[in-house]
Amino acid sequence: MALSEIKDNSSFFRFLCERVKVSSLLAVFVAGATTAALMLSLGSSLSSIEERAGALPWLVAPDNTLEERITIVSIDERSLAEVGPWPWSWDLIAELVEKINNAGAQLQIHDILYPPGDRTFDDRLLNSLTEPERSIIAQLPILQAQEEVLRTGVLTNPVNGVSCQNETLVGRFPSTSNFIGSSEKLSPVPKGHIVPIIDSDGAVRRIPAMVCVDGAAFSALALAPFFQLVGTGPWQAEIAPASGIFGPDQTLNFDSYPGLQVPLDAEGNMRISFRKSPSAFRSISAVDILNGNFDENVLDNVLVLVGATAFGLDDIVPTPYSGYSPGVELQARLLSSVLDERVPYSPSGGWLIGAFTCLLLAFASLQLALLRGRYAMLGLPLMTLLSPLLALGLHGVMLVNFSVWIGWVTAALFGFLTSTFLLLVEHARIRLERFRVVQNLTSYLPVETARKVAFESPSSLIQAERCDVTLLSADLRNFSAIGERRPPEESASILHYFFTKVNEIVERHGGRVHEYKGDNVLVVWEGDGASSALNALNASVEIESEINSTLLSETGVNGLEPLAVGIGI
């Protein structure tokens, strides 16, 4: 009986070790499947979390260097208070444009719509915007669905070389038939669209590089300067496909600026960079321009963005820096990132980078799991906490240093789930092993003693206590001599049966085994009175009767004195 049980235990632990590896791999697979299911079912919510937390590296290490190539002229609350409510008269706007031109601005970019209306148009505004050929104004294609067709004013300055009929990845842009254009009298003024892509949380993080209206592509306002600064001819550009797994899905190339490439995503959008701190952009109040209370050097030979910053003009959007940033700031960010050639983009092979990150996190968690013991129990919880931070950290390094947006939620979720599931597997393994240890110990020891041996930490301190007890000592006489003549497996079987039987009998009579030593068993009953002594006596009678009648009669060896049970109380 003992031999078969020993073999069973050995096979069990070998089986357990194999199952640990299989279970660990299965945990990784389940983590991957769970991650995929969560990404599919909670895609919108997780995308919002990824965008918000993914911008944190910009906030942690912002670029505070003053942007000297761009100056914002803001129509702010003070301007409205002193000049009057918006919209201002054409003559007043013309005066603002003229003063900016006289200060030496290289180009004016108006993030303002000048639609047709009831106001009498003043030729002075047209002359101020067109004569120096240094101004660009806004036009607004409308991407949102409309119950009725909305077409006001005119759209001008389509970009040649960009097809709106392409259904493949390259050259795919949003399309609409609705728009708010400028007054027809401003048709000679170059224009760019100000169409925002509004995410589910209300933030604007992307702007289409082109919007197709009636089969023609119209450039974004932040890109229009790169067409206009080199001349007055037709605007020309082309779209190129991805050039590698680390490149963007597509790029916009300017015929007028060879070598300048703007990375775009699969839908033709530019991602807005929040690398620069809001304080890096210079801003002058429009009323100060009108009153001449400004340093003209601030506008000399720079790109001037004219836009509304007053809260009541409804051009306020949330950004990572603030919940109410002016829309003109987004135009400044786009323009600055194009000038620096640091427009953020997601690489076309971003899924490969994400998969590689997941593999690294899974490998680290698996190594901790296979080390087992305290390494797994301490390392896996730590890995559970660190996985999202590592994924976000890698994303931040790529974003800040290379303007590459690789994302982090998928890797973070996979790493978190992998280490969590592996921790559960390790916990289950330890519980199973402890259960098996206690189960084996209880075949020799009382349950309380077995648990004490199994769960208490070893100590070098002497643990002694004074107590009154009744002791019973039982041993196998002549066991050593028989052990020398018989196979060791047989001796082990005899001892196992002897110990197990004595333990069963002692527990029935209220005692507990104190120790096993060689072929001896020492049993304890609490107290030294008659009751304890009687229990010890009854147990000894039963031990002598059952052991002699079952075990000793079958273990005789010719030439040797047979086994016998010796008991002392």
Side-chain angles (χ1 to χ4, degrees), residues 410-538:
T410 301
L413 188 59
F414 174 77
F416 175 83
L417 292 175
T418 298
S419 51
T420 300
F421 290 165
L422 287 174
L423 180 62
L424 293 176
V425 169
E426 179 64 14
H427 181 69
R429 181 191 68 80
I430 291 176
R431 289 295 300 270
L432 186 61
E433 285 185 353
R434 286 189 175 183
F435 171 77
R436 192 69 176 184
V437 168
V438 173
Q439 188 181 45
N440 288 340
L441 287 174
T442 53
S443 64
Y444 300 100
L445 300 172
V447 174
E448 291 184 4
T449 306
R451 291 184 180 277
K452 187 174 182 180
V453 172
F455 298 133
E456 283 192 1
S457 301
S459 173
S460 60
L461 300 177
I462 297 176
Q463 297 180 352
E465 59 181 289
R466 181 184 296 270
C467 58
D468 294 325
V469 296
T470 299
L471 299 179
L472 181 151
S473 177
D475 65 355
L476 291 176
R477 295 174 180 174
N478 205 34
F479 177 77
S480 298
I482 289 180
E484 293 175 357
R485 299 284 298 274
R486 303 300 296 168
E489 292 83 4
E490 185 175 306
S491 299
S493 298
I494 293 172
L495 278 179
H496 178 76
Y497 178 80
F498 174 61
F499 292 156
T500 303
K501 205 66 178 176
V502 169
N503 187 63
E504 291 177 358
I505 295 171
V506 166
E507 284 190 342
R508 283 201 299 269
H509 291 276
R512 59 180 175 84
V513 175
H514 180 69
E515 70 173 0
Y516 298 103
K517 188 173 183 180
D519 59 359
N520 176 269
V521 181
L522 183 62
V523 183
V524 175
W525 278 266
E526 299 293 338
D528 57 352
S531 176
S532 299
L534 182 60
N535 287 333
L537 178 61
N538 292 335

Side-chain angles (χ1 to χ4, degrees), residues 60-89:
V60 172
D63 181 3
N64 295 309
T65 306
L66 183 64
E67 176 55 83
E68 298 182 345
R69 300 164 299 181
I70 302 170
T71 299
I72 297 174
V73 172
S74 59
I75 302 172
D76 53 8
E77 282 84 357
R78 191 163 66 89
S79 299
L80 298 181
E82 295 188 23
V83 176
W86 187 265
W88 292 344
S89 67

Side-chain angles (χ1 to χ4, degrees), residues 91-338:
D91 187 65
L92 187 60
I93 296 173
E95 182 182 352
L96 178 66
V97 173
E98 290 169 357
K99 291 195 173 184
I100 293 174
N101 284 333
N102 293 336
Q106 184 181 19
L107 185 69
Q108 293 189 51
I109 303 122
H110 288 233
D111 184 22
I112 301 171
L113 285 172
Y114 297 113
D118 296 334
R119 290 183 298 165
T120 303
F121 188 81
D122 190 344
D123 288 339
R124 179 184 175 186
L125 176 59
L126 175 62
N127 294 333
S128 64
L129 290 172
T130 57
E131 283 185 1
E133 297 180 354
R134 299 205 307 262
S135 298
I136 299 172
I137 62 175
Q139 53 194 5
L140 180 63
I142 301 174
L143 299 182
Q144 292 81 8
Q146 299 287 325
E147 295 182 0
E148 299 180 359
V149 175
L150 177 61
R151 300 168 71 92
T152 301
V154 294
L155 299 184
T156 65
N157 298 89
V159 178
N160 298 326
V162 176
S163 173
C164 286
Q165 308 301 323
N166 199 337
E167 297 298 329
T168 62
L169 173 64
V170 180
R172 183 187 300 170
F173 294 105
S175 180
T176 184
S177 59
N178 298 317
F179 60 85
I180 299 176
S182 67
S183 170
E184 292 185 4
K185 292 192 175 182
L186 295 179
S187 296
V189 184
K191 302 176 186 67
H193 78 72
I194 52 172
V195 176
I197 301 295
I198 302 175
D199 290 341
S200 57
D201 59 356
V204 177
R205 300 182 177 95
R206 299 170 184 84
I207 289 182
M210 303 282 170
V211 173
C212 293
V213 180
D214 298 335
F218 295 90
S219 165
L221 183 67
L223 297 179
F226 300 95
F227 294 107
Q228 180 64 16
L229 286 173
V230 295
T232 59
W235 291 358
Q236 295 281 340
E238 63 178 13
I239 305 299
S243 57
I245 62 172
F246 294 105
D249 292 316
Q250 51 188 339
T251 57
L252 173 66
N253 301 318
F254 299 87
D255 287 5
S256 54
Y257 280 87
L260 178 61
Q261 296 182 331
V262 177
L264 310 177
D265 63 18
E267 287 74 35
N269 300 321
M270 299 182 293
R271 180 179 282 274
I272 300 173
S273 173
F274 293 96
R275 183 174 63 94
K276 283 188 172 294
S277 168
S279 61
F281 296 100
R282 296 181 300 192
S283 179
I284 304 176
S285 177
V287 70
D288 289 333
I289 302 292
L290 291 171
N291 294 334
N293 298 327
F294 69 100
D295 182 2
E296 292 190 357
N297 292 326
V298 177
L299 301 182
D300 186 29
N301 199 34
V302 301
L303 300 175
V304 177
L305 272 166
V306 181
T309 62
F311 196 82
L313 295 184
D314 296 330
D315 192 18
I316 302 299
V317 294
T319 68
Y321 292 98
S322 173
Y324 44 88
S325 298
V328 69
E329 181 186 306
L330 300 185
Q331 300 295 339
R333 292 184 176 281
L334 281 168
L335 190 54
S336 176
S337 62
V338 174

